Each structure stands twice: as C-alpha cells, then as structure tokens.
Amino acid sequence: MASTSLLFATPRSPFTSRRCFTVRPITATLSKQTAKPAEPSKLPVRDVPGDYGLPFIGPIMDRLDYFYNQGRDKFFQSRMEKYKSTVFKANMPPGPFISKNPNVVVLLDGKSFPVLFDVTKVEKKDLFSGTYMPSTDLTGGYRILSYLDPSEPSHSKLKNLLFFLLKSSRDKIFPEFHSCYTDMFESLETQLAKNGKAGFNDANDQAGFNFLARAYFGANPPDTKLGSDGPGLVTKWVFFQLAPILTVGLPRIVEEPLLHTFPLPPFLVKSDYQRLYDFFNESSKSILDEAEKMGISRDEACHNLVFATCFNSFGGIKILFPSILKWIGSSGSELQAQLAKEIRSAIKSNGGKLTMAAMEQMPLMKSVVYEALRINPSVPFQYGRAKADMVIESHDAAFRVKKGDMLFGFQPFATRDPKIFGQAEEFVPGRFVGEEGEKLLTHVLWSNGPETESPTVGNKQCAGKEFVVLVSRLFVVEFFLRYDSFSVEVAASSLGDAVTVTALKRASF
C-alpha cells in the first residue's frame, strides 16, 4: 500500500508490537463468517457510467437529493441501481459555492475502494474533508497533517510527532481510561436512579476528552481554566469545518444558504479555538520540545496536536463508543452474557489484572469491536485524486479513470459488500473469531487502510489506528467488568447515534 521510497524512516505504530492477530476459537451460538476466495477473471473495460449534469445545476440537484429528497444512503443506492454498477459518476456536496469542482467517481464496493489507500496511484493533498477544504483560519493558518499528501516534507515530520505522542502515552492509557470511565459510569448510574434513564453521549464526551488530555499530556481539564468546556468547544469548532457536508434538521430554505452555500465565518469560533489552543500549548510542553527537535515550530506542532486530539481522537471516541453500545445493546442478553463471562474469565486467569495479554484472550470481545468498526466506520468518506490514467476494477467490471479525476469512496457500502461479507447488513458479533474470521480483517477499512496493515509516514493510514482499537476494547472490557447487562434506546443525530441508557445491571459474578 505505501510507497517503499521514503524521505524518513517508517516506524510502525507504537502499539503494533503489542498486538497479535492470533486468536483462539470460542464455543458460541453466534454465527461466524468465512472469507470468500477471489476468483481470477478477465473483466470488461468500460467508461465510468453516469454524468454530472449541467454545470452549477447538476451539483445543486445532487446536493438536494443527498440531503433532503433521498438522504445519504438512498442517494448512493438509487444511483447504483440506476447504472447497475458500484462505480459511477456523481456530484458530492457541498458543491456551489464552497467547492470548486464537486465531480467525483464514486466507489461503493470492497474491491474498488482500496485504490484510495494506494498513494502511488492517488494524491491525498487537501482532500481530508472532501471536495472542499475548510479555511486554515480554523487551524492557526496551517495546513494540518490530515490535509498533507505523504510526498510533502512536513507530512513525515508531523506523523512522526504523533507516533512519539502515542508512544509517550502508552503507560498512562490503562489507568487513566479506568479512572475517567469509572467516573462516567457512576454519573450514568446517578442519572438512571434519578430519572429512569441517562444520556450516554454527553457523559462519554466528557470522559473521552478528560481521558485523552490525561493520557496524552498528563493534564486534567477540570483542574485548568478549560474546566468542563472542552467537549462543547471541540464540537462547535468541528461543526464549523464540517457544516458544508452536514444536515442538522433545519428547513432546507434555512439550511441550504446557511450551511451548504457559503462557509461559516471562522471568526465566530476564534475565541473558542483559542481556549483549546491555550490549554494544549500549556499542557504539551514536553511534546512541543520534541517537535522542535524534529524541526517543527512549536506553534505548528501545537495546532496539529489540537487537531489530532480533538478532531481525530476525540471525534473517534465521540462517534464510535455510542455505536459500540448501540450494537451490543441491540444484540440482546445472550451476547452480553457471553462478553461478561469471557472478559471476567480472561482477567481471572491473568492474575486478576487487566493487561494487553488478558485482552488477547478475549476473541469475542475483539470481534465485536472489529464488527462495530466494519458496520459503522467513524469516517465514512475517503477521497483521492488520480495521479495518472488508470483502470479501476469492481467485482463485475473495469473502469477507465483519467488523471486528475477525483475518486470518492463511501465506506459503509464498501464494508457491507455482500460479495465479501455474508449477512453484510447485519451486526454479527462473532464474525472475526477464529482463523477464517481473521482473514476478513483485510476488508475492515475504518482507519483509511486495511486492518491488517499499519500506519507509516509514507501512507495516510490513521496514526492512532492501534490506539483506537485499544481504547475501544478497553471500553467494552471496563463496561462488562462493571455490568452484567444493559438496555438502551437509540436515535439518529448529525454525528452518529444518540444513545440513552435505560437499564444497567451491576456485575453479579
């Protein structure tokens, strides 16, 4: 996937050496899936079907379909059915007047999608948010790491800085996660006893932000000027960046001109962002010292730390943890009982301590986390610009793509590809258990790369890939160490699932 010719060394993620993909099978009634072997075929080469419509009008019509007339998933599904192809042309929001060129080649299957990870074939410069790039006034005037192509010299330096941050925090992750999420569980229990239900998302946001600050920088936000305002400030700042591709439920006559036609002015969130920057600048002095040794200015490094912590890490926890809770909750008491038994047994057999080794003996728990990442990836969109004329293959055909074409992948369709996954639309807890289940991990793509590969300075795979998997596992483990079972209610929100806890049964064994 990554280029083999690099300007700098290509360290693997600091958690990689502590991971192992060898898992033992479990006895369970939960079904497992097996990888379907690829059959060699000579596919017919054709032009990409579809069209972009009339200039200006076509992109606006597609935008209205995407947000209002059809909705996101039906927008893609209807065009896939119309063209009888998982590869086709479309316009992606926001279109006029925010993005200069909304024309994309859409990739919706698990075979064509991975071309977006191959930086020898696609350029990733300024494509993190799609066909538009938010103002750098929102990030201190800098193009942040997420917007850099690996060919740019700053990319290697900044990604190495994030590897250093992750490595330096390794020993603090377990204790700080336990402390912050114990506080969250106690808060949920108090709300539940008082009101008969408890909102999970706000409590999770606070716990997640405090955990990241304490694990990464050794700073506890409530003890600083930032107080408990961090999650709200981050959410507002992120909204100003993503508003052009979001809908918040306002009437279209209001939402279209307000969010999708012109960017929100950065000065409206400047003071909020400054509070975040000041907190990170004060709390991350040792990391900033290391940045200077790497040839990165303290100011640029700090803005990148804000983005990596708040947009990437916090954003992942904000979306992923409610999703995990939703899927486990909706799977019923049998799965919950099996997780509780597996988790507690593994810890007991490891001297009663929660360790990496103990978690490696929890194959069902690991599979549940991977399945949540598969069925609802936190970042559903990936983009790449073709570096040269090429042919992209789907399962059924091959398509001519021209140099400069913008390629767009909608990951929830690619990771629910029925030609790769059985019961692709269903949450199958034991999908990745055992040797055959492990083979499917190459098709889990949430990290901007296959789960079986690792981030390097030469690719665009998430620097914190192993960190996200680890804390997701910790969340499930900590939850079932404390509770036997639970129930939730779920509603949709502009950023993932809104989860309300309606019952919690404390651990009985």
Side-chain angles (χ1 to χ4, degrees):
M1 180 176 70
S3 171
T4 56
S5 177
L6 303 174
L7 296 174
F8 293 85
T10 57
R12 296 167 72 85
S13 164
F15 295 105
T16 302
S17 62
R18 306 176 88 172
R19 286 277 309 282
C20 175
F21 285 106
T22 302
V23 293
R24 53 183 174 80
I26 61 170
T27 301
T29 57
L30 304 165
S31 60
K32 298 185 289 184
Q33 305 300 312
T34 57
K36 298 179 179 180
E39 297 181 3
S41 60
K42 200 164 185 178
L43 298 170
V45 179
R46 54 184 291 205
D47 292 331
V48 177
D51 64 80
Y52 301 117
L54 294 173
F56 190 80
I57 295 175
I60 290 180
M61 296 300 293
D62 277 358
R63 184 171 77 199
L64 294 176
D65 281 348
Y66 180 90
F67 286 124
Y68 311 107
N69 300 332
Q70 295 178 305
R72 185 187 69 177
D73 288 10
K74 191 174 179 181
F75 175 86
F76 296 117
Q77 184 70 35
S78 64
R79 284 155 179 75
M80 185 169 66
E81 293 171 356
K82 176 182 178 180
Y83 301 122
K84 295 180 173 56
S85 174
T86 54
V87 178
F88 53 84
K89 296 177 181 177
N91 298 291
M92 276 301 292
F97 294 96
I98 296 177
S99 61
K100 295 180 180 179
N101 184 359
N103 301 164
V104 301
V105 174
V106 180
L107 311 176
L108 296 183
D109 63 87
K111 186 174 181 181
S112 63
F113 193 93
V115 71
L116 293 163
F117 309 142
D118 189 342
V119 294
T120 67
K121 295 181 178 179
V122 299
E123 182 187 62
K124 308 291 278 189
K125 183 178 180 179
D126 296 337
L127 304 182
F128 178 71
S129 53
T131 59
Y132 77 104
M133 180 180 172
S135 170
T136 56
D137 289 344
L138 291 164
T139 51
Y142 295 98
R143 290 173 58 238
I144 297 299
L145 173 63
S146 294
Y147 290 94
L148 301 180
D149 186 79
S151 64
E152 299 180 74
S154 294
H155 182 275
S156 295
K157 294 180 182 180
L158 290 168
K159 198 161 186 180
N160 270 326
L161 179 64
L162 296 190
F163 286 144
F164 176 81
L165 172 68
L166 291 164
K167 183 177 180 180
S168 66
S169 68
R170 189 179 339 202
D171 294 336
K172 294 179 284 188
I173 292 172
F174 277 61
E176 296 296 0
F177 191 93
H178 174 78
S179 176
C180 291
Y181 276 83
T182 295
D183 289 345
M184 185 199 75
F185 294 143
E186 291 174 351
S187 172
L188 292 176
E189 291 166 12
T190 300
Q191 289 184 51
L192 195 58
K194 182 180 179 180
N195 305 319
K197 59 183 179 180
F200 175 77
N201 294 63
D202 287 346
N204 176 62
D205 286 357
Q206 196 67 60
F209 186 84
N210 291 346
F211 158 67
L212 291 169
R214 288 160 64 166
Y216 283 169
F217 309 111
N220 189 36
D223 297 335
T224 70
K225 293 179 181 178
L226 194 61
S228 60
D229 295 341
L233 297 176
V234 173
T235 300
K236 183 178 178 181
W237 171 66
V238 170
F239 178 74
F240 269 62
Q241 297 175 68
L242 298 183
I245 54 174
L246 295 178
T247 179
V248 294
L250 296 173
R252 75 172 71 181
I253 196 172
V254 176
E255 203 169 65
E256 273 294 286
L258 181 64
L259 301 183
H260 304 148
T261 306
F262 302 100
L264 296 172
F267 76 85
L268 294 176
V269 77
K270 183 177 180 179
S271 62
D272 296 318
Y273 180 72
Q274 188 64 46
R275 288 186 65 194
L276 291 170
Y277 177 90
D278 290 344
F279 170 76
F280 282 87
N281 192 47
E282 181 65 28
S283 304
S284 60
K285 291 182 178 179
S286 63
I287 307 298
L288 298 179
D289 289 342
E290 183 66 22
E292 284 191 308
K293 295 176 185 177
M294 294 179 175
I296 309 167
S297 74
R298 297 181 78 88
D299 188 52
E300 181 176 11
C302 189
H303 285 292
N304 273 274
L305 292 177
V306 174
F307 196 94
T309 305
C310 297
F311 196 114
N312 300 138
S313 298
F314 174 77
I317 288 174
K318 180 181 179 68
I319 295 173
L320 181 56
F321 284 16
S323 177
I324 291 173
L325 207 60
K326 175 190 77 170
W327 288 113
I328 297 176
S330 65
S331 296
S333 58
E334 181 185 0
L335 172 62
Q336 294 177 30
Q338 289 192 349
L339 284 168
K341 182 179 179 180
E342 176 187 81
I343 288 166
R344 295 171 200 175
S345 297
I347 291 176
K348 184 177 180 180
S349 66
N350 281 268
K353 295 181 180 180
L354 174 55
T355 61
M356 293 287 285
M359 287 200 295
E360 288 300 324
Q361 297 171 25
M362 304 174 189
L364 178 59
M365 178 278 294
K366 292 163 61 179
S367 179
V368 162
V369 168
Y370 285 135
E371 181 69 344
L373 289 165
R374 177 197 74 87
I375 201 166
N376 272 136
S378 301
V379 181
F381 309 138
Q382 272 83 28
Y383 288 84
R385 191 175 300 280
K387 288 184 172 181
D389 292 353
M390 68 174 86
V391 173
I392 295 176
E393 291 188 358
S394 69
H395 294 293
D396 305 311
F399 301 90
R400 301 180 188 92
V401 171
K402 296 180 181 179
K403 178 180 179 179
D405 282 352
M406 178 76 88
L407 308 179
F408 161 76
F410 183 55
Q411 190 173 151
F413 275 40
T415 54
R416 298 185 189 189
D417 187 336
K419 294 189 176 182
I420 294 174
F421 295 102
Q423 299 171 263
E425 295 291 332
E426 298 179 23
F427 183 82
V428 180
R431 187 184 299 276
F432 299 101
V433 170
E435 185 178 349
E436 291 301 311
E438 286 182 75
K439 293 178 182 178
L440 288 168
L441 288 172
T442 190
H443 303 291
V444 177
L445 311 172
W446 69 271
S447 65
N448 203 23
E451 188 60 32
T452 49
E453 297 186 17
S454 298
T456 72
V457 295
N459 64 27
K460 290 301 292 181
Q461 193 161 20
C462 173
K465 167 179 173 281
E466 306 297 341
F467 175 83
V468 172
V469 172
L470 174 60
V471 297
S472 299
R473 291 176 176 181
L474 281 174
F475 174 66
V476 177
V477 170
E478 291 282 2
F479 194 94
F480 282 101
L481 284 176
R482 191 176 182 93
Y483 304 110
D484 281 344
S485 61
F486 69 98
S487 59
V488 295
E489 295 175 350
V490 182
S493 75
S494 57
L495 287 174
D497 302 302
V499 175
T500 301
V501 179
T502 56
L504 290 169
K505 182 183 177 183
R506 288 297 297 265
S508 59
F509 66 93

